[in-house]
């Protein structure tokens, strides 16, 4: 009899956790306006943070966010430390071999950031051949930099460090996501650096989950669909980018 009661309780709690629970979210919070620390509240904020919270809420979950290095996100999914990444992570063929992604939730692209003083030397990606490039470790910007012939690529834990190194003259260019560079330029009001006109704009962000976790992908896609239909997605987009969602 007792065993049955226990089994019933266990069964109920398993059922309960499948319906409502806590999503453990991994991020890398130096990536404004997607994920960063609000200086005043000391809370993590940004487009991704608000979107993943809304998506989770739409399917009855709450979230707990863990901040870590960008290169630690995929291993953390694989070992079950986190359930999902919300980290402006581009869906790439290489990553799709290691993890699964939700539907794309943001269209992005890469740009090249240089000091204005060097605009005569750097005009496009090809003019970086044999030169020094800074990027954030494990990112698509770093991958693109490594494809430039003979370039010397230095990877930093945070994009903030790469921006700083550019300003200090440690590298000739930074390759990074356009919305992040645009936000940096707008917020810092930095007139000494600028982006090149060339934009590599075929990147889409998705929330990443452990390879094979179909239930989680389905749940998050359902949540995404709901927040798109409710208009919440548009509100969050407008708040962080100041324009209508594409
Ligand atoms: N979108 C880029 C990538 O996926 C950069 C992400 C990031 O630095 N948070 O590699």
């Amino acid at each position: 009899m007792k065993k049955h009661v226990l089994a019933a309780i266990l069964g109920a709690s398993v059922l309960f956790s499948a319906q409502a629970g806590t999503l453990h979210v991994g991020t890398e919070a130096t990536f404004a306006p997607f994920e960063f620390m609000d200086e005043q509240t000391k809370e993590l904020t940004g487009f991704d943070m608000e979107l993943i919270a809304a998506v989770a809420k739409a399917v009855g979950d709450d979230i707990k966010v863990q901040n870590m290095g960008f290169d630690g996100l995929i291993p953390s999914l694989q070992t079950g430390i986190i359930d999902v990444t919300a980290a402006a992570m581009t869906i790439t063929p290489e990553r799709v071999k290691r993890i699964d992604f939700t539907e794309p939730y943001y269209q992005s692209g890469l740009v090249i950031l240089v000091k204005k003083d060097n605009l005569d030397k750097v005009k496009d990606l090809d003019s970086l051949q044999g030169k020094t490039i800074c990027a954030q470790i494990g990112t698509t910007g770093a991958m693109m930099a490594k494809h430039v012939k003979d370039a010397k690529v230095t990877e930093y834990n945070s994009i903030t460090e790469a921006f700083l190194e550019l300003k200090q003259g440690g590298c000739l260019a930074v390759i990074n996501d356009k919305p992040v560079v645009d936000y940096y330029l707008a917020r810092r009001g930095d007139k000494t650096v600028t982006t090149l006109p060339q934009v590599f704009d075929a990147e889409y962000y998705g929330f990443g989950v452990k390879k094979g976790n179909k239930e989680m992908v389905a749940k998050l896609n359902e949540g995404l669909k709901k927040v798109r239909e409710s208009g919440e997605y548009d509100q969050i987009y407008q708040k962080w980018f100041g324009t209508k969602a594409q």
Side-chain angles (χ1 to χ4, degrees), residues 28 31 35 70 87-90 95 136 138-141 176-177 203 205:
E28 190 284 309
F31 219 60
E35 39 270 333
F70 190 75
M89 191 182 280
T90 305
R95 288 179 184 147
Q136 186 180 7
T139 61
T140 47
N176 194 238
D177 300 40
E203 295 212 356
Y205 298 162

Side-chain angles (χ1 to χ4, degrees), residues 5 15 22 55 117 122 135 138 192 224:
V5 173
L15 199 68
T22 301
V55 165
D117 292 352
V122 195
T192 65
L224 263 175

Side-chain angles (χ1 to χ4, degrees), residues 226-240:
K226 284 187 174 165
V227 300
R228 282 187 191 276
E229 283 168 3
S230 70
E232 237 177 316
Y233 178 94
D234 289 340
Q235 276 169 19
I236 299 172
Y237 194 103
Q238 179 80 36
K239 172 176 171 185
W240 290 102

Side-chain angles (χ1 to χ4, degrees), residues 38 50 106 114 137 148 155 229 232:
D38 182 313
E50 291 194 359
Y106 183 86
V114 294
I137 193 161
V148 177
E155 294 181 66
E229 283 168 3
E232 237 177 316

